[in-house]
Amino acid sequence: MMRIGVFSEDHKLQPLLSSALGKEFQVLLESHEEGITQMLSAGRCDVVILDLDSNCNSIHQRIACCRRIAEHPVPSVVMADDSLRPYAIELVQLGAHGHCRKPPSVRELKAMLSRAHENASFQREPKAEPRSMENPGRVAGVVQPTLNSDVNIGKLAIQCDQMIGHSQPMQQVYDLVRRVADLNASVLVTGESGTGKELIARAIHNTGARYTRPFIAVSCGAIPETLIESELFGHEKGAFTGSVGAREGYLEQAGDGTLFLDEIGELSMSTQVKLLRVLQQREFSRLGSSRLVPLRARLVFATHRDLGEMVAQGKFRQDLYYRINVMRIDSPSLQEHPEDIPVIAMHFLQRYSAEYAKPMDQIDPTAMSLLQRYSWPGNVRELENVIQQAIILSRTDIIRAEDLPHNLREEDVININDFHPDGSFERQLRDYKIRLAATAVRENNGNKTMAARSLSISRAYLHRLIRLADQPMEEVLVEEDAREFGTA
């Protein structure tokens, strides 16, 4: 937990800060210079808040004291009301990380404290070379498998940053991440909900030269329309009703790092216009200000919607679509790489069994078979939830079929009596999937996007099923074997 030293004589402010910050930070209060100096010298705090109290009897001595503290290596944040703002700016010029208005916005203060600590950590770390995906064993690189598996994956990478999988679709994702990691080009990550689009964005950030800089993730769909511009661009005091102080937006907070804008398709047309200008000019201004701020961050976008279709419907600007779609990475649905289910499931088993203090390292073969046969409409996120639930419910050190949700155990037997043996198992399974795909397309009047959505599969997988309809069974089996062993 980060330790915050509060240097203040304001006895009303001290308990308020302790209450507001105490859940996320360890707050240490000090009223005298000698005490705060000893605290800093002993390394007992990570960031110090300097309160320039205009009601202080010896304000000039207080300012002189804060000047001395601001020169200390421990990062500091200056808090001052409007009358003392010039002194706060002077302290920032002397070495303080930044200043905020008194009384502060708790949200802004927390963000400023975190950035101050983060920047100080970057300065203390020795400068390192950018992380490479080709260097096995590094945290953000591609590493070889450490889990037992009866799948022959040869030399294929099984992990990239926090993404896991050895299948051909995942190898393609890893390759694209490696190619764009050190470029400043915009990247659009597409895919169904729960496939790990944010993990791809984080992998791009962590494997590139910006990995020591901030990574800020923003869900555009979770921010009310009336606040989205203020959240992205920031605002000045008085820019709109209720804005009691200036605030940095996410574009500014990202600094030299990466800003990940998830669900970009949820932005209104007016916000799309303003974002387009930012991408074109590489600069922006806060609401209520004419001062231009350069855009230094690298932007990665994501959506589960078909932006091309939205452009055709007039719901998304075509020029913005071209601007953000410089490089596109498709996040495959779990149904498109079911061969990765065992290793992903084992990853979650190890992670959450340790977190819940229930040592477990096995999944019963019957349970694993159920996991692999399930359609996973919620993708990897659903698999993660299922494994967590199974760990909690299990009475042994092994996950068994009875520990899994009922829908997983029932899915494969719902209409089993409706099938009649006719040819090999592989042929029957293929034909049934193809019939499902054809029926869905027909019922949705040829709209493949809606058909894929009705089956809870990706559009790419639907196209693959349609292509299989005209492909000889022998070629299908050869293709499946090649995909299984990573040679396709």
Side-chain angles (χ1 to χ4, degrees), residues 415-429 431 435:
N415 293 316
I416 194 67
N417 293 326
D418 295 338
F419 299 102
H420 303 284
D422 183 19
S424 68
F425 172 77
E426 290 83 3
R427 183 181 296 276
Q428 293 182 68
L429 184 60
D431 291 345
R435 286 199 300 271

Side-chain angles (χ1 to χ4, degrees), residues 75-303:
S76 56
V77 172
V78 183
M79 187 182 301
D81 56 28
D82 293 339
S83 64
L84 297 178
R85 186 176 182 183
Y87 295 103
I89 295 174
E90 178 188 345
L91 290 173
V92 173
Q93 293 172 346
L94 290 175
H97 169 78
H99 67 88
C100 63
R101 189 176 182 276
K102 180 181 178 181
S105 162
V106 175
R107 177 181 175 184
E108 293 177 14
L109 180 59
K110 289 179 178 179
M112 187 173 292
L113 293 172
S114 297
R115 289 197 302 272
H117 182 247
E118 195 173 77
N119 291 342
S121 300
F122 292 154
Q123 294 173 3
R124 288 193 296 267
E125 290 178 355
K127 189 174 181 180
E129 296 181 358
R131 302 187 179 196
S132 171
M133 289 182 62
E134 298 176 354
N135 186 2
R138 300 191 71 165
V139 174
V142 171
V143 299
Q144 295 300 320
T146 58
L147 302 177
N148 293 328
S149 174
D150 54 3
V151 179
N152 180 14
I153 63 175
K155 294 183 179 180
L156 293 178
I158 199 172
Q159 184 170 349
C160 169
D161 196 51
Q162 299 178 50
M163 296 182 294
I164 294 176
H166 55 72
S167 63
Q168 192 65 24
M170 293 305 296
Q171 296 299 319
Q172 293 173 357
V173 172
Y174 299 166
D175 180 60
L176 291 175
V177 167
R178 175 182 59 81
R179 291 170 182 267
V180 304
D182 285 320
L183 303 178
N184 287 324
S186 298
V187 177
L188 176 63
V189 184
T190 62
E192 299 175 8
S193 296
T195 56
K197 296 187 289 296
E198 183 172 341
L199 293 184
I200 294 177
R202 287 186 181 275
I204 294 172
H205 174 81
N206 290 336
T207 56
R210 297 176 184 262
Y211 76 98
T212 59
R213 300 303 177 186
F215 176 90
I216 295 181
V218 180
S219 176
C220 298
I223 304 175
E225 173 63 25
T226 54
L227 297 178
I228 185 67
E229 291 183 28
S230 172
E231 294 292 305
L232 290 178
F233 307 122
H235 63 260
E236 296 292 344
K237 177 184 177 182
F240 52 85
T241 304
S243 58
V244 296
R247 179 186 178 278
E248 291 182 352
Y250 292 123
L251 290 168
E252 202 168 346
Q253 292 176 25
D256 294 312
T258 300
L259 177 61
F260 172 57
L261 295 179
D262 195 8
E263 301 303 344
I264 190 68
E266 305 302 322
L267 290 181
S268 67
M269 296 297 285
S270 61
T271 305
Q272 290 178 32
V273 172
K274 295 176 181 178
L275 180 59
L276 174 64
R277 185 186 181 284
V278 171
L279 297 177
Q280 291 175 334
Q281 305 296 328
R282 301 297 299 178
E283 60 185 13
F284 61 94
S285 59
R286 297 182 185 178
L287 297 183
S289 172
S290 59
R291 181 178 66 89
L292 293 176
V293 180
L295 175 64
R296 308 195 311 271
R298 193 252 184 90
L299 270 68
V300 179
F301 307 90
T303 181

Side-chain angles (χ1 to χ4, degrees), residues 71 198 203 215 217 257 274 334 337 356 375 430 454:
E71 295 174 353
E198 183 172 341
F215 176 90
K274 295 176 181 178
L334 192 53
H337 57 117
Y356 299 152
S375 59
R430 183 194 75 150
S454 69

